[in-house]
Amino acid sequence: MGTNDTTSAGASAQREYDRRRARDEAKIRETWGEGRLGTMAVALSSERQSTVAWKSGAVGEAVVGRTLDAIASDDLVVLHDRRIPRSRANIDHIAVTRSGVWVIDAKRYRDKRPSLRVEGGLFRPRVEKLMVGGDPTRLVDSVLHQMQLVHELIDPVPVSGALCFVDADWPLIGGSFSTRGVEVCWPKKLAKRLTSLDGQVDVAATAAAIGERFLPA
């Protein structure tokens, strides 16, 4: 297995971006033709937001991937861009450490601040919501689902989760937090957390089992 996966972080997101961009260009050329007019129309057109999102996602995954690769070792194996069986979805990064496995979802929200909103309390059930730029998200639900899939494979090895935000508007002091068992942080913070862990997990064997089940996307 080695200390690190050879799969490129963000590769599947980049491929989807390229596919959507080619599709959008083909539709423009259907209207304006393949000549100079069509080329000008392509150059002047704006990419669809749904297409741009895949490019941003690929960049975020690549940034997190490089940070994880920099700390990879015999005691910390990193797997990138792993396909979830019987699904079109994928897990961005899986880090196998001596203390357990981390399922990591990379997100790029430029200049938007992740925060935690807590509702309820004494007389109502406590509900935690992850907000990004003031908007509620279901990002934690997605990570928890991925964690469960990995846990079912490697139980009783502990499985943790992290949402790692790139280019977010983090405050100068503090900023990172945990919600529903998922760490919310930035790449360097996550790397520091992972390298501080210790335990008795067989890293190589666990990484091999995960790699056989969750193939490169």
Side-chain angles (χ1 to χ4, degrees):
M1 173 66 67
T3 60
N4 190 38
D5 180 25
T6 58
T7 305
S8 298
S12 62
Q14 181 66 48
R15 288 196 300 270
E16 181 63 18
Y17 166 75
D18 292 339
R19 186 189 71 80
R20 288 173 179 245
R21 184 179 182 184
R23 178 203 60 189
D24 294 345
E25 179 176 335
K27 288 183 177 180
I28 294 172
R29 290 191 179 276
E30 285 179 3
T31 302
W32 297 98
E34 296 292 336
R36 180 179 299 176
L37 193 59
T39 300
M40 290 180 60
V42 170
L44 294 173
S45 65
S46 298
E47 291 185 320
R48 297 182 181 184
Q49 185 59 38
S50 59
T51 300
V52 173
W54 284 96
K55 178 64 173 180
S56 180
V59 171
E61 290 178 37
V63 170
V64 175
R66 287 195 296 269
T67 302
L68 295 174
D69 286 344
I71 61 173
S73 68
D74 289 340
D75 291 330
L76 202 165
V77 172
V78 182
L79 305 175
H80 300 300
D81 212 4
R82 313 305 288 196
R83 186 172 69 250
I84 296 175
R86 300 180 297 279
S87 170
R88 297 181 63 183
N90 71 294
I91 300 175
D92 292 344
H93 314 279
I94 301 173
V96 185
T97 75
R98 295 283 292 173
S99 70
V101 173
W102 285 69
V103 172
I104 302 162
D105 196 2
K107 295 297 177 186
R108 188 181 186 223
Y109 286 84
R110 299 190 65 178
D111 301 323
K112 292 186 177 182
R113 178 167 297 183
S115 61
L116 181 63
R117 175 186 292 176
V118 179
E119 300 175 350
L122 291 176
F123 304 105
R124 291 186 299 158
R126 176 187 171 95
V127 177
E128 296 185 353
K129 294 183 179 179
L130 173 63
M131 315 292 288
V132 180
D135 297 323
T137 77
R138 297 185 62 86
L139 299 177
V140 174
D141 294 325
S142 177
V143 175
L144 290 173
H145 174 64
Q146 295 174 9
M147 290 168 58
Q148 180 61 31
L149 295 175
V150 175
H151 175 74
E152 291 172 354
L153 173 66
I154 62 171
D155 185 45
V157 175
V159 178
S160 303
L163 275 162
C164 194
F165 285 87
V166 175
D167 293 335
D169 176 31
W170 292 104
L172 293 177
I173 299 176
S176 63
F177 55 90
S178 176
T179 174
R180 298 164 60 193
V182 175
E183 301 284 337
V184 182
C185 58
W186 53 92
K188 288 185 178 180
K189 182 77 171 183
L190 177 62
K192 184 176 181 180
R193 177 88 166 90
L194 294 179
T195 53
S196 68
L197 301 173
D198 195 13
Q200 301 299 319
V201 172
D202 187 330
V203 173
T206 303
I210 293 172
E212 290 177 2
R213 177 68 176 273
F214 297 92
L215 300 175

